[in-house]
Amino acid sequence: MLLGARFIDRCCLHRPIVCLSRRFKFSSPAMPQDSHCVDKDCDDFLPWLEQKAGVEISSVLSIGKSTYGRSLFASKSIQTGDCILKVPYNVQISPDNVPSKINSLLGDEVGNIAKLAIVISVEWKMGQDSEWAPYINRLPQPGEMHSTIFWSEGELKMIQQSSVYQETINQKAQIQKDFLAIKPVLHHFSENLFKDISLKEFMHACALVGSRAWGSTKGLSLIPFADFVNHDGFSDSVLLGDEDKQLSEVIADRNYAPGEQVLIRYGKFPNATLLLDFGFTLPYNIYDQVQIQVNIPHHDLLRTLKLELLHRHCPPKIGDVNSFSSMGNSFTIKEVKSARGKGRGIPQSLRAFARIFCCTSPQELSDLAVEAAQNDGRLARRPLKSWNREIQAHQVLLSWITRLINEYNTSIKSLPLASPLYETFALRKQMARDLLTGELRVLKSAGAWLENYCATLTTKSYLSDENGGSETVLGREREDAHPSSQETNLGFYLPPLSDKMPRYDDRHGSTRLYVGRLSSRTRSRDLEDLFSRYGR
């Protein structure tokens, strides 16, 4: 039974001594470079930061403005392999910067994001008296941020079909929970500096941390100056953390001319993550993916046996986005590049779940358990013995995907008209469209592959019957070749497969080929492809 779609859990990417940013702006090598427009508001920023650090941070970069906002540009010629910036750890903001008298009272339930949000909130309250004022004052204001936690209820309804809708609700609830945990601590002190921090201000601070913090040995760190650099998904440059030298640095991966914007690579994230955490989307994001949740329906008479089998052979792994649980089973679908390929993008675990879902007897489940034990322990990872049952399992999976496709199409068509007088709403509507169309594209690619897979197996089944042998899959005899349509103990209607097809012997004549009753989804080019391989 389909529960809904949700995207992959957000995470920081980690490599040895590499800390990758969680703030993203994407470009392409084919995209024209922005001209260098000096940001006069930041003329004194780098000198201030270098004075605070006691070392030079960059001699080849300057802060400017581009279509992305604040950006870093080459002020001199840069060659491949040059170190273009070095930011010492002593001018990076981490959870260690939480005032000690506050930190000592915080419970273990308060995480690094909340702790960094406390630092930003306190420093913001201090105004020009803050030692970090030149940096804090240049952070985006709430009205400049478009993360979905700032969207109105009406705006959120535009993305209700996407998992981002529920993820937004969850994230706001987590921020409120963190605020309730730290509020008594802040009120413990007499200084209004601490007591006056509101939920709205704390939420803004959490959004800043979520969109700008970098993974580090201290958990998370805000790195002034470095967080002005924007992202190019094709760049080989990354932010490197050098524990020996106690600094973060970037090495140029190509030559830059003076005035050219400098870009580095941050990661590979879908629009769902970009919108929720960073407040923007891409019109076409090659990293889009959809996480769907399915479960065994309660009216399935074999539900208990199936769940026990899933848990015994498929224990969830920490951080595994394709896992099983009693509440629902999550699987991440990525775009399938070719409908005729191996189906990479559709998790094998999802196909295995569909096979288990369609089992109609304890014996079938027992056979799968024996097969798993005799191989690598993974359940239902091989095609089922019966071609008929294998096709039915993938037809059920296709029905889940098709249902989502229809729901996404409806959501996109239902997007409200945007008035030119409301620039923010028009921008967020476009983000909603980018999000939904990207996830729809992924679902359609999965649906196309499943259609082709079912059509291919149907034709192979016919060819096997025509050769006079019993149907085999991976050398195993076929069972119950042509069951009739039936309402199974799943409470789910399993569609019948086509009856045995008429024999076709005229290979050289002009007579048109008559195939018989095929699935309505079978395409002529799929049959032609099979005939080219096996003959008519």
Side-chain angles (χ1 to χ4, degrees):
M1 178 181 295
L2 187 65
L3 294 180
R6 61 188 296 272
F7 65 89
I8 189 172
D9 291 340
R10 300 176 309 282
C11 63
C12 289
L13 302 180
H14 296 285
R15 296 180 184 179
I17 70 168
V18 176
C19 300
L20 298 186
S21 169
R22 300 193 66 202
R23 177 174 174 264
F24 302 83
K25 290 204 172 93
F26 283 73
S27 66
S28 164
M31 184 181 295
Q33 291 291 327
D34 289 297
S35 59
H36 186 185
C37 179
V38 175
D39 188 349
K40 295 183 178 180
D41 293 336
C42 292
D43 284 346
D44 60 344
F45 182 80
L46 186 55
W48 163 79
L49 190 61
E50 291 179 331
Q51 182 180 10
K52 186 176 182 64
V55 296
E56 182 180 71
I57 289 177
S58 179
S59 63
V60 296
L61 298 176
S62 61
I63 302 172
K65 292 181 179 179
S66 72
T67 54
Y68 304 127
R70 285 198 174 96
S71 309
L72 296 184
F73 291 83
S75 56
K76 300 178 182 178
S77 295
I78 296 174
Q79 303 299 315
T80 302
D82 288 351
C83 181
I84 58 179
L85 66 83
K86 295 181 179 181
V87 182
Y89 286 174
N90 68 328
V91 289
Q92 298 182 18
I93 305 175
S94 73
D96 292 346
N97 291 88
V98 176
S100 57
K101 57 184 178 181
I102 293 179
N103 195 42
S104 62
L105 298 176
L106 294 176
D108 294 335
E109 73 277 8
V110 179
N112 287 328
I113 291 180
K115 289 181 179 180
L116 265 179
I118 292 174
V119 175
I120 292 179
S121 300
V122 170
E123 298 296 334
W124 207 302
K125 286 288 186 180
M126 293 178 66
Q128 293 305 118
D129 294 331
S130 168
E131 64 170 312
W132 297 100
Y135 174 64
I136 298 295
N137 292 341
R138 287 171 173 83
L139 294 176
Q141 299 293 320
E144 300 173 308
M145 304 184 72
H146 296 285
S147 166
T148 50
I149 66 172
F150 297 114
W151 287 25
S152 68
E153 184 176 345
E155 290 168 336
L156 279 176
K157 285 184 178 179
M158 294 190 293
I159 58 171
Q160 195 163 6
Q161 177 59 42
S162 173
S163 60
V164 180
Y165 176 82
Q166 186 60 47
E167 289 288 342
T168 300
I169 295 173
N170 295 343
Q171 186 160 311
K172 292 177 71 173
Q174 182 61 49
I175 292 174
Q176 292 174 345
K177 180 180 178 181
D178 289 339
F179 182 72
L180 291 176
I182 68 172
K183 187 175 180 180
V185 176
L186 298 179
H187 278 259
H188 181 77
F189 301 96
S190 58
E191 298 97 320
N192 289 334
L193 183 68
F194 299 145
K195 294 194 297 184
D196 289 346
I197 297 176
S198 66
L199 173 60
K200 183 178 180 180
E201 292 169 331
F202 182 73
M203 183 173 293
H204 174 222
C206 286
L208 288 171
V209 173
S211 62
R212 306 182 77 86
W214 306 58
S216 71
T217 56
K218 297 180 180 180
L220 293 173
S221 295
L222 293 167
I223 307 179
F225 190 71
D227 61 2
F228 292 147
V229 68
N230 291 315
H231 175 84
D232 178 358
F234 298 92
S235 174
D236 289 327
S237 289
V238 296
L239 184 74
L240 304 171
D242 192 324
E243 292 300 315
D244 293 332
K245 297 180 181 179
Q246 292 287 288
L247 55 80
S248 301
E249 62 183 4
V250 173
I251 308 298
D253 68 321
R254 66 178 182 86
N255 298 339
Y256 287 93
E260 190 175 359
Q261 185 178 178
V262 175
L263 303 165
I264 68 175
R265 174 171 53 83
Y266 292 147
K268 302 174 182 180
F269 286 82
N271 274 342
T273 300
L274 298 180
L275 180 56
L276 177 60
D277 285 349
F278 314 113
F280 72 96
T281 56
L282 301 175
Y284 185 89
N285 188 340
I286 62 174
Y287 304 119
D288 272 333
Q289 55 193 25
V290 179
Q291 190 166 347
I292 72 169
Q293 285 187 299
V294 293
N295 70 6
I296 305 296
H298 289 278
H299 56 259
D300 184 351
L301 300 180
L302 299 177
R303 172 182 166 83
T304 301
L305 290 177
K306 291 177 180 179
L307 290 178
E308 289 177 354
L309 191 63
L310 287 170
H311 292 174
R312 186 164 66 248
H313 288 271
C314 307
K317 298 179 181 179
I318 297 175
D320 185 7
V321 296
N322 298 313
S323 60
F324 301 102
S325 72
S326 59
M327 297 302 296
N329 305 289
S330 283
F331 306 92
T332 297
I333 299 177
K334 299 181 180 180
E335 186 170 6
V336 183
K337 300 301 182 182
S338 171
R340 298 172 181 270
K342 296 182 179 180
R344 291 180 180 174
I346 302 177
Q348 287 290 338
S349 54
L350 175 58
R351 297 172 63 188
F353 181 88
R355 292 173 181 131
I356 296 164
F357 181 97
C358 287
C359 286
T360 57
S361 70
Q363 185 60 48
E364 286 183 278
L365 295 174
S366 177
D367 291 343
L368 290 177
V370 171
E371 180 184 72
Q374 291 174 345
N375 294 285
D376 60 4
R378 295 187 299 172
L379 190 66
R381 294 302 179 98
R382 296 185 175 189
L384 295 174
K385 293 180 180 180
S386 166
W387 262 336
N388 177 64
R389 187 70 76 211
E390 175 75 358
I391 295 170
Q392 287 176 339
H394 285 77
Q395 285 178 336
V396 168
L397 179 54
L398 177 59
S399 72
W400 296 340
I401 300 297
T402 301
R403 189 184 310 173
L404 279 176
I405 289 173
N406 293 335
E407 291 172 357
Y408 269 83
N409 276 323
T410 300
S411 294
I412 293 172
K413 292 177 182 179
S414 301
L415 289 174
L417 296 175
S419 170
L421 299 178
Y422 300 98
E423 182 178 351
T424 297
F425 179 78
L427 176 61
R428 292 176 178 177
K429 177 192 171 183
Q430 184 58 49
M431 291 179 182
R433 183 178 296 277
D434 291 342
L435 171 70
L436 297 175
T437 54
E439 294 182 349
L440 175 61
R441 187 183 72 253
V442 172
L443 292 170
K444 283 184 174 180
S445 73
W449 186 87
L450 288 168
E451 285 183 351
N452 185 68
Y453 181 77
C454 291
T456 300
L457 284 188
T458 300
T459 307
K460 283 184 178 181
S461 176
Y462 158 65
L463 293 174
S464 177
D465 288 347
E466 286 299 284
N467 289 331
S470 61
E471 178 186 320
T472 61
V473 177
L474 296 179
R476 298 173 298 189
E477 281 198 12
R478 165 188 169 192
E479 299 173 356
D480 54 337
H482 296 290
S484 60
S485 305
Q486 58 182 326
E487 183 78 20
T488 71
N489 63 347
L490 301 174
F492 189 97
Y493 178 77
L494 295 179
L497 298 181
S498 55
D499 295 330
K500 185 174 180 180
M501 302 178 188
R503 188 172 183 85
Y504 180 75
D505 293 321
D506 184 8
R507 299 193 179 192
H508 306 289
S510 59
T511 307
R512 289 181 61 84
L513 172 69
Y514 176 71
V515 181
R517 289 198 299 121
L518 290 175
S519 166
S520 61
R521 300 188 181 91
T522 302
R523 297 168 295 189
S524 59
R525 66 173 181 268
D526 296 324
L527 294 174
E528 292 299 327
D529 177 60
L530 286 166
F531 292 147
S532 68
R533 296 182 189 178
Y534 304 105
R536 293 178 182 269

